[in-house]
């Protein structure tokens, strides 16, 4: 077993999100109490959408009781935090609002902590756990699994997206009659910052696809060993500056496109990539796989720093396209 794969397996034990606790399904919280409580006022609601409406254009934190909820909500204004009372105990399962996502976020900002999003699929194959339509987003200690997109950002959004200590598993796809979905798809122009996060078992598309002008992906793991028909680990579609550092990448055998781990500007150079730094990463192939590939492939033609990365001998450091 190669060194990179061993490190990745060890990291998986650290990053894994705890399995949700057995809990009630639907609107009931512990002891039958209303499960959605606005922290600032103490008011409790049976429906998440009602709690969101009560905050309106203000600032508020919705504390969510343990449970599996087959409901969704749309935020149109304000600054709202959606927080599990016990991280890993809250599951939003299989329901999308507006044919988009479990949480459709269109306010000034949103924060999501300790929540699992699973089985989110919609008619156009572009469903998501979270759809960010405006403002900034912070996601912490959350799990996205077995759906289409994990997080999808609207293409006219300029806000900053931050993801920390979360897991994306069993996501993505490229259906013949629709566009591709991805674990994280930042189709906006704002920064995407991903830290201490795990990506695994992709089912198509890319693990991270970003059209933003700035990227930071650090201290994270990309385990493609059980992936199916996946593409790049990181796709910077229109170029980006920033850093990709201290991550672990393992490429699996079942790929739609295995030509590179990280791809820069494959869809045009709308943003500068000059000074993009890709450093101190580990990259390997699943044990026993014989394949030639590239760690970084670039179509921007701009100076990129690629140094101190530990690569399997079959992986070329850099390819200009």
């Amino acid at each position: 077993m190669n060194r990179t794969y061993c490190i990745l397996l060890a990291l998986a034990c650290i990053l894994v999100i705890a399995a949700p606790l057995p809990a009630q399904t639907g609107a009931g919280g512990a002891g039958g109490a209303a499960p959605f409580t606005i922290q600032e006022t103490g008011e409790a609601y049976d429906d998440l959408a009602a709690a969101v409406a009560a905050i309106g254009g203000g600032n508020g934190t919705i504390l969510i009781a343990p449970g599996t909820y087959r409901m969704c909500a749309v935020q149109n204004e304000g600054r709202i935090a959606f927080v599990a009372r016990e991280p890993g105990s809250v599951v939003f399962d299989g329901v999308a609002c507006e044919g988009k996502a479990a949480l459709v976020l269109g306010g000034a900002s949103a924060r999501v902590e300790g929540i699992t999003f699973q089985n989110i699929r919609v008619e156009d194959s572009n469903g998501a756990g979270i759809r960010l339509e405006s403002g900034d987003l912070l996601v912490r200690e959350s799990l996205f699994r077995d759906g289409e997109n994990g997080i999808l950002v609207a293409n006219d959004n300029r806000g900053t997206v931050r993801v920390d200590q979360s897991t994306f598993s069993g996501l993505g796809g490229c259906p013949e009659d629709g566009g591709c979905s991805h674990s994280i798809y930042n189709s906006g122009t704002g920064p995407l910052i991903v830290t201490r996060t795990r990506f695994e078992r992709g089912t198509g598309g890319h693990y991270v696809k970003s059209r933003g002008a700035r990227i930071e992906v650090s201290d994270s793991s990309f385990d493609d060993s059980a992936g199916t028909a996946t593409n790049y680990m990181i796709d910077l579609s229109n170029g980006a500056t920033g850093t990709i550092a201290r991550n672990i990448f393992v490429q699996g055998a079942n790929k739609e496109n295995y030509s590179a781990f990280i791809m820069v500007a494959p869809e045009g150079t709308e943003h500068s990539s000059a000074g993009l730094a890709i450093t101190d990463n580990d990259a390997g192939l699943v044990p026993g796989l014989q394949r030639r590939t590239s760690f970084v492939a670039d179509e921007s033609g701009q100076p990129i720093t690629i140094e101190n990365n530990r690569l399997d001998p079959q992986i070329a450091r850099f390819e200009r396209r």
Side-chain angles (χ1 to χ4, degrees):
M1 187 175 293
N2 64 48
R3 174 182 180 276
T4 301
Y5 193 64
C6 290
I7 295 173
L8 191 149
L9 290 176
L11 187 60
C13 297
I14 298 171
L15 290 175
V16 68
I17 301 296
L21 301 173
Q24 291 180 254
T25 296
F36 305 105
T37 302
I38 299 176
Q39 185 177 45
E40 291 76 9
T41 65
E43 296 175 324
Y45 300 84
D46 287 327
D47 185 76
L48 179 60
V52 170
I55 294 172
N59 300 342
T61 299
I62 301 173
L63 300 177
I64 306 174
T68 296
Y69 301 95
R70 293 183 174 89
M71 63 177 66
C72 58
V74 178
Q75 173 195 359
N76 291 315
E77 56 185 345
R79 301 177 184 274
I80 300 179
F82 302 82
V83 179
R85 286 187 178 272
E86 302 171 20
S89 70
V90 172
V91 180
F92 286 95
D93 183 15
V95 176
C97 283
E98 299 182 344
K100 294 176 180 178
L103 293 180
V104 181
L105 306 176
S109 70
R111 174 166 54 93
V112 176
E113 293 192 6
I115 297 175
T116 294
F117 300 87
Q118 66 185 28
N119 304 318
I120 308 298
R121 297 179 175 85
V122 300
E123 186 175 353
D124 68 358
S125 301
N126 206 30
I130 296 173
R131 169 77 175 251
L132 180 66
E133 301 201 323
S134 67
D136 298 327
L137 173 65
L138 171 60
V139 176
R140 287 192 185 127
E141 295 184 327
S142 293
L143 169 60
F144 301 79
R145 65 184 175 196
D146 301 332
E148 292 164 345
N149 300 279
I151 298 173
L152 175 60
V153 181
N155 58 18
D156 58 351
N157 186 52
R158 299 180 180 180
T160 297
V161 178
R162 298 176 183 269
V163 180
D164 183 50
Q165 287 187 289
S166 295
T167 296
F168 296 78
S169 181
L171 301 164
C174 290
E176 293 183 3
D177 57 349
C180 293
S181 55
H182 314 278
S183 295
I184 296 178
Y185 185 10
N186 176 26
S187 58
T189 59
L192 172 63
I193 301 168
V194 179
T195 53
R196 301 183 294 176
T197 288
R198 177 172 173 80
F199 299 86
E200 63 180 16
R201 199 169 54 83
T203 53
H206 309 299
Y207 287 95
V208 172
K209 180 180 175 73
S210 181
R211 298 186 183 277
R214 184 164 182 82
I215 188 74
E216 179 182 328
V217 181
S218 61
D219 303 300
S220 297
S221 69
F222 294 76
D223 181 1
D224 188 44
S225 59
T228 304
T230 53
N231 282 273
Y232 305 126
M233 309 284 194
I234 299 175
D235 179 300
L236 305 179
S237 305
N238 303 115
T241 57
T243 59
I244 299 173
R246 301 180 304 281
N247 304 290
I248 299 171
F249 301 88
V250 170
Q251 189 183 91
N254 192 338
K255 303 287 290 180
E256 182 177 280
N257 183 347
Y258 63 79
S259 65
F261 285 65
I262 300 168
M263 185 70 212
V264 181
E267 300 178 43
T269 54
E270 293 184 17
H271 313 302
S272 172
S273 298
L276 174 66
I278 302 173
T279 62
D280 300 300
N281 301 283
D282 284 83
L285 308 178
V286 290
L289 182 61
Q290 302 296 310
R291 168 185 291 164
R292 292 291 180 180
T293 181
S294 297
F295 183 50
V296 179
D298 173 58
E299 293 192 21
S300 74
Q302 296 173 327
I304 298 173
T305 299
I306 306 171
E307 60 187 19
N308 299 328
N309 299 292
R310 293 160 292 279
L311 309 178
D312 183 284
Q314 298 182 88
I315 303 172
R317 171 182 166 274
F318 179 76
E319 176 188 353
R320 180 80 71 193
R321 296 184 181 175

